[in-house]
Amino acid sequence: MKISLNWLKGLIDIEDKTPQEIDELLTSSGLEVEGIGEVEEVKGGLKGLVIGEVLECEQHSNADKLRVTKVDIGEEEPVQIVCGAPNVAKGQKVVVATVGAELYPSPTESFKIKKGKIRGEVSLGMICAEDEIGLGTSHDGIMVLDTDLANGTPAAKYFGLENDQVFEIGLTPNRVDGSSHYGAARDLKVLLDREIKQATKAELIENFKVDNTSTPVKVNVQAEEACPRYTGLTISGITIKESPKWIKQRLNSIGLAPINNVVDITNFVLHELGQPLHAFDLAKVTGNEVNVKFATEGAKFTTLDEAERELKGNDLMIANASEDMCIAGVFGGLDSGVTEGTTSIFLESAYFHPDFVRKTSQQHSIKTDSSFRFERGCDPNMCITALKYASMLIKEYAGGEISSEIVDIYPTPIENFIIDVKFKNVDRLIGQHIPQDRIISILEGLEISILERTEETIKVSVPPYRVDVQREADIIEEILRIYGFNSVTLDESLSTDFLASFPKKDKQILQTKVTEMLAGSGCFEIMTNSLTTSKYSTGLADIDESKDVKILNILSADLDVMRQSMLFSGLEVIDRNIRRQQKNIKAFEFGKTYHKGEEGYTEKEHLTLFVSGTSSDESWIRKAVNADFHTISSIVERIFERLNIQGISKEYVKNDTFAYGLTYTARKQVIATVGMVNPKAAKLAGVKTEVFFADIDWSALVKMYSADYKFKELPKFPEVRRDLSLVLNNKATFASIQEIAKKTERKLLKDINVFDVYEGKHLAQGLKSYSVSFILQDENKTLNDKTIDKCMNALIKAFENQLGAVIRK
């Protein structure tokens, strides 16, 4: 948002303040200035150009078409200038470019005035034509001025040029009260303890009167929830023409191109008061009737930019008796606006509910100065003021008469926010005592009324345009931003009477820990697009196509839905790398999936891992080893250990996504699925090699994370290893062996591991052999053979009874 310094000066007396001082004041009040730019009405600003008077004018001795002049430019001695203009003469007031001045005959070219000699005569400047200084196109002769201004007066003053300083404000969404020059002046008023200049505007509004009621317009508000207040009037007999210079200067300074007097006045009032206005050509208001209603779903409407848009049922429209004229608060229609042939207008000033304007603006991807303010919450009490102000300016600069009474439909006035504030809470939150009278003066300066006051509390009334001030803490924030953060003294040592209990779980810290661990394991982090193609959800039975979150305005057919699985975005990365001869891949990604359900839309956070190719590079020391299921499962289990996830169980899985794999469950919740990607799924993304994939529920892991690690002394007594070879049904899993062993021997069994699996000709069909090691240890004494044998016999019996195992010795 742009704020003009000259515009501000017209609202509040800040002539004694530099732009840098204004910058500091606005930023300290919450209207952060991101930059200050200079705006010149004419390129170069006519710097170095002054009013001069030709005292002498003689023929050049060596050139028939040149004159040698003596010109008074306000210095001690006249300067000599050689001039070739045919109309130069003694006694003229002229524009003189002094030595060192830079002239801009066009925005793209310039030249500098230098001291020189022309045909032997010294020339110390140039008497200018209008095209030479960028004020016109005529080059018939020099400009001859009719002025009593003193010689040496800057030419910019004569031409009424206005150079300006413009503040670029980074307006936060909650500060819509600062989205106008009046809003910025309101903060400066209380910061500097100065009054806002109301004279011109107040005089115009006080002189407002209805000239006649010859062209009344009937207004019907059919959507009161979307339009709490609607006001308007008609002005007849106007003449559409160019705006006065001062209005064009104001608009140009903030980057708006002037259009015509009526449109420019509505834009001027918008940027001065913060209240959007709209002028309709009265001839296009058929039936002299304005209807504020919701759009017909699917109806077509052509906006001012000549784009045809398909309307939604929640779009608020301004319509005449037969057709739509404007998308309320967002964009006008192509056929109902003010043109050169307009002679009468209906001027609208309304308060539209922010929620409806915001939805419409986002649905149609339209951002305008009006929608910017409406969707944040305008001042409903400014509607009439802005309407009268604009109508009187239109009468002054476009002629005409106000030809109807003001229509003001406001069935349920929006109430002020009533808030109780304790003085002790002001001091407590700010950390410094502020005198009560100072608090009162700040609040009243911000137009927050004091309804009641006691020694301990005040009851305040906050106007509805301060949408961000609805609680006691908000009032205290208002006091602090005006009192000044820099005014709060800091002691050498800080203390507090209350310490918040900080959460033990910080998702970002945990993510950093896991990221560092994975990077240390040789994995590379990837970041992929959340948009994907719907062919993935139609190609796999594991993904429910009806839960796709579809994109309304798709950029391409390959990006038409939000992803339900992070598998395919990772496969696309693998495919891209393989095509570039990068075949050994270990990658991970933190991301989200998106799902549509009966109760709305949901997001799920995931951590995914991808492994393909070899697990280590080939070298002279060892051969390359292909990555397998254990390569990725070991990484996943290290993540669980890093986050101290306890009570994990595993189950075999096979589906359209996984050719084979395991699901990890903790606290009756699946926290990860790990396995080899089904070739059918990989083929959808163009991948033909083996890929191992892990999909981890990151949100679940964060919830289950425990920082309560228990430490104990290292055992003083040795551990014992015993091995068993178990012949089992080939459907039996190592996970089932682990589970049975841990249930059978809880005290002495410290670890269990499978070191060989065999299926072959020496075993009957349907059987396989697991070679399993068991680590036993007693932390209080050395194990003897009797205790060890008792433990192993119990394990053997459990395997035989529960798994039908045959023990091979």
Side-chain angles (χ1 to χ4, degrees):
M1 187 190 74
K2 290 181 168 59
I3 294 292
S4 156
L5 180 59
N6 288 340
W7 202 331
L8 269 182
K9 287 178 179 178
L11 293 172
I12 186 169
D13 182 11
I14 50 174
E15 295 289 345
D16 59 329
K17 299 296 179 182
T18 65
Q20 289 69 32
E21 289 173 323
I22 300 299
D23 172 352
E24 292 177 5
L25 288 168
L26 291 176
T27 298
S28 69
S29 72
L31 301 178
E32 183 176 356
V33 177
E34 297 178 340
I36 305 175
E38 186 170 359
V39 177
E40 297 174 329
E41 190 173 347
V42 173
K43 181 77 170 175
L46 301 188
K47 293 176 182 176
L49 275 68
V50 298
I51 304 298
E53 182 178 356
V54 180
L55 303 179
E56 298 178 13
C57 183
E58 303 292 340
Q59 179 66 45
H60 195 293
S61 58
N62 295 322
D64 293 340
K65 294 184 178 181
L66 297 179
R67 306 285 190 276
V68 179
T69 66
K70 297 285 188 181
V71 184
D72 179 5
I73 59 171
E75 297 181 354
E76 292 183 4
E77 297 290 336
V79 296
Q80 179 170 296
I81 298 174
V82 177
C83 180
N87 64 328
V88 64
K90 179 181 178 180
Q92 292 174 336
K93 287 275 194 165
V94 293
V95 177
V96 178
T98 60
V99 173
E102 190 165 5
L103 304 187
Y104 295 85
S106 77
T108 57
E109 59 177 317
S110 67
F111 62 92
K112 200 166 189 176
I113 303 300
K114 298 179 181 179
K115 177 182 178 180
K117 282 188 177 183
I118 302 177
R119 295 288 184 94
E121 293 287 352
V122 173
S123 185
L124 300 175
M126 186 174 83
I127 304 175
C128 303
E130 67 176 36
D131 67 329
E132 292 169 331
I133 59 177
L135 289 178
T137 58
S138 173
H139 195 67
D140 295 336
I142 61 170
M143 301 176 72
V144 180
L145 310 180
D146 181 14
T147 179
D148 294 327
L149 289 173
N151 297 334
T153 300
K157 182 175 180 180
Y158 171 81
F159 291 109
L161 298 186
E162 188 178 77
N163 293 340
D164 202 353
Q165 300 283 330
V166 175
F167 302 100
E168 187 69 43
I169 305 291
L171 193 70
T172 53
N174 63 315
R175 286 300 308 276
V176 68
D177 65 292
S179 63
S180 66
H181 286 76
Y182 181 76
R186 192 160 42 204
D187 274 3
L188 291 174
K189 163 196 167 186
V190 65
L191 287 166
L192 296 172
D193 193 22
R194 299 177 185 179
E195 292 301 317
I196 291 179
K197 300 175 185 177
Q198 300 268 9
T200 304
K201 181 175 66 177
E203 184 178 339
L204 280 174
I205 294 172
E206 287 172 6
N207 291 335
F208 174 87
K209 67 181 180 66
V210 175
D211 298 306
N212 58 67
T213 56
S214 59
T215 55
V217 170
K218 181 182 179 182
V219 177
N220 303 306
V221 178
Q222 301 170 20
E224 290 184 5
E225 69 274 30
C227 179
R229 187 175 195 180
Y230 191 91
T231 72
L233 53 75
T234 61
I235 306 175
S236 302
I238 63 174
T239 301
I240 303 300
K241 57 185 178 181
E242 191 176 347
S243 293
K245 183 177 180 180
W246 71 271
I247 287 182
K248 291 195 291 183
Q249 285 176 329
R250 291 289 179 260
L251 298 181
N252 280 323
S253 69
I254 59 173
L256 290 181
I259 299 173
N260 59 53
N261 48 358
V262 171
V263 174
D264 291 350
I265 286 169
T266 61
N267 284 331
F268 169 78
V269 173
L270 162 64
H271 287 277
E272 175 154 311
L273 299 182
Q275 172 61 40
L277 303 170
H278 193 80
F280 298 93
D281 188 331
L282 192 58
K284 303 296 177 65
V285 184
T286 58
N288 275 20
E289 182 177 324
V290 170
N291 296 299
V292 185
K293 63 183 186 63
F294 287 118
T296 301
E297 182 74 33
K300 306 294 184 182
F301 181 71
T302 304
T303 46
L304 278 172
D305 58 357
E306 300 184 3
E308 184 179 73
R309 304 178 189 276
E310 184 175 321
L311 300 176
K312 307 296 181 182
N314 59 359
D315 290 337
L316 186 66
M317 304 299 294
I318 309 298
N320 57 32
S322 58
E323 61 184 353
D324 293 329
M325 299 188 295
C326 174
I327 303 178
V330 179
F331 213 13
L334 180 63
D335 298 325
S336 62
V338 174
T339 65
E340 292 181 358
T342 299
T343 58
S344 299
I345 63 169
F346 175 73
L347 186 62
E348 165 196 281
S349 178
Y351 173 79
F352 300 117
H353 197 285
D355 292 350
F356 291 91
V357 175
R358 189 181 305 113
K359 280 184 182 178
T360 296
S361 176
Q362 291 177 343
Q363 286 171 171
H364 297 288
S365 299
I366 302 174
K367 296 294 180 183
T368 62
D369 285 337
S370 293
S371 68
F372 176 85
R373 288 157 177 81
F374 276 129
E375 68 185 27
R376 285 163 173 77
C378 289
D379 183 2
N381 298 326
M382 185 60 77
C383 293
I384 295 294
T385 300
L387 185 68
K388 289 181 177 180
Y389 187 27
S391 62
M392 294 303 288
L393 287 173
I394 291 172
K395 279 188 65 175
E396 183 174 350
Y397 295 108
E401 297 179 330
I402 296 173
S403 52
S404 77
E405 297 287 352
I406 293 177
V407 176
D408 185 8
I409 300 176
Y410 196 18
T412 309
I414 297 173
E415 301 291 340
N416 287 10
F417 305 113
I418 307 301
I419 304 168
D420 290 315
V421 181
K422 295 180 180 179
F423 289 117
K424 69 176 183 179
N425 287 341
V426 176
D427 294 345
R428 183 175 63 85
L429 291 184
I430 292 177
Q432 180 169 310
H433 174 69
I434 299 177
Q436 292 186 9
D437 289 343
R438 176 65 174 137
I439 291 172
I440 299 300
S441 67
I442 289 174
L443 294 178
E444 290 180 339
L446 292 172
E447 301 181 4
I448 297 174
S449 304
I450 309 300
L451 301 180
E452 297 176 9
R453 178 180 177 181
T454 68
E455 287 297 320
E456 291 81 24
T457 65
I458 50 173
K459 184 185 290 291
V460 300
S461 175
V462 181
Y465 69 82
R466 289 309 309 270
V467 294
D468 61 321
V469 183
Q470 300 183 24
R471 305 169 304 163
E472 182 183 34
D474 298 330
I475 292 290
I476 297 170
E477 182 182 4
E478 289 298 291
I479 295 167
L480 178 58
R481 73 180 182 87
I482 299 301
Y483 181 74
F485 290 92
N486 293 334
S487 299
V488 177
T489 58
L490 297 177
D491 296 331
E492 291 184 3
S493 60
L494 299 178
S495 61
T496 178
D497 59 355
F498 175 76
L499 289 175
S501 56
F502 294 98
K504 294 180 180 179
K505 298 178 183 179
D506 187 312
K507 186 180 295 184
Q508 299 302 319
I509 292 176
L510 294 180
Q511 182 171 325
T512 300
K513 286 182 179 179
V514 172
T515 297
E516 290 172 349
M517 189 203 81
L518 292 172
S521 301
C523 299
F524 290 89
E525 185 170 12
I526 61 175
M527 297 178 70
T528 60
N529 198 346
S530 297
L531 296 176
T532 189
T533 174
S534 55
K535 75 177 183 181
Y536 293 143
S537 52
T538 58
L540 287 186
D542 299 341
I543 302 178
D544 187 349
E545 183 183 359
S546 67
K547 294 183 178 180
D548 274 344
V549 179
K550 297 180 180 179
I551 306 302
L552 297 179
N553 300 312
I554 61 173
L555 299 176
S556 73
D558 292 332
L559 299 172
D560 59 336
V561 298
M562 304 290 282
R563 64 187 177 195
Q564 286 198 60
S565 169
M566 292 179 63
L567 169 65
F568 295 104
S569 54
L571 288 175
E572 289 170 356
V573 172
I574 291 173
D575 179 55
R576 178 180 176 84
N577 278 271
I578 289 175
R579 290 177 186 274
R580 287 158 179 78
Q581 304 305 312
Q582 302 297 316
K583 299 180 180 179
N584 302 326
I585 299 165
K586 290 169 72 177
F588 69 96
E589 178 180 14
F590 288 92
K592 293 181 179 181
T593 58
Y594 306 85
H595 312 268
K596 178 184 177 183
E598 295 180 359
E599 298 181 359
Y601 297 94
T602 57
E603 296 180 359
K604 296 180 180 178
E605 292 183 292
H606 298 256
L607 165 58
T608 55
L609 299 168
F610 297 87
V611 175
S612 182
T614 61
S615 59
S616 61
D617 293 332
E618 184 179 22
S619 72
W620 65 274
I621 299 174
R622 60 187 174 189
K623 293 182 179 180
V625 178
N626 288 334
D628 57 16
F629 170 80
H630 300 289
T631 306
I632 193 167
S633 64
S634 63
I635 297 174
V636 171
E637 290 175 9
R638 285 203 301 274
I639 293 173
F640 295 155
E641 290 175 3
R642 187 74 178 84
L643 298 179
N644 198 20
I645 309 298
Q646 302 293 328
I648 298 174
S649 61
K650 308 170 190 175
E651 288 186 12
Y652 181 76
V653 65
K654 180 178 180 180
N655 52 35
D656 270 9
T657 300
F658 292 94
Y660 62 85
L662 292 177
T663 60
Y664 291 78
T665 303
R667 301 181 192 176
K668 298 181 180 180
Q669 181 178 354
V670 175
I671 56 174
T673 307
V674 184
M676 176 182 163
V677 176
N678 195 317
K680 173 185 176 182
K683 189 176 179 181
L684 289 174
V687 177
K688 298 178 182 178
T689 59
E690 281 190 351
V691 178
F692 295 91
F693 172 55
D695 186 7
I696 301 172
D697 187 335
W698 179 243
S699 296
L701 255 61
V702 171
K703 289 180 181 178
M704 295 180 187
Y705 163 74
S706 172
D708 297 330
Y709 291 92
K710 293 182 179 179
F711 298 91
K712 58 184 179 181
E713 185 180 0
L714 288 173
K716 297 178 181 179
F717 302 96
E719 61 184 32
V720 175
R721 170 173 168 164
R722 291 289 185 267
D723 297 341
L724 288 178
S725 181
L726 308 176
V727 178
L728 304 165
N729 186 296
N730 61 8
K731 293 183 179 180
T733 64
F734 175 63
S736 61
I737 296 174
Q738 277 185 312
E739 184 178 358
I740 292 170
K742 289 179 179 178
K743 286 182 179 178
T744 303
E745 180 51 64
R746 299 177 184 273
K747 181 180 178 182
L748 301 181
L749 184 61
K750 301 302 180 183
D751 193 18
I752 179 172
N753 182 48
V754 60
F755 59 89
D756 189 31
V757 179
Y758 175 76
E759 288 182 273
K761 60 183 180 180
H762 298 295
L763 291 177
Q765 186 175 3
L767 298 178
K768 62 182 174 182
S769 173
Y770 281 101
S771 295
V772 184
S773 64
F774 301 87
I775 304 298
L776 306 175
Q777 185 179 46
D778 190 327
E779 296 179 0
N780 299 312
K781 61 184 179 181
T782 301
L783 290 172
N784 55 40
D785 289 341
K786 182 178 179 182
T787 304
I788 296 170
D789 291 342
K790 181 180 178 181
C791 176
M792 294 305 299
N793 289 334
L795 290 172
I796 291 170
K797 186 176 181 180
F799 295 143
E800 290 174 338
N801 293 338
Q802 298 181 45
L803 293 176
V806 174
I807 310 301
R808 300 174 66 188
K809 300 183 180 178

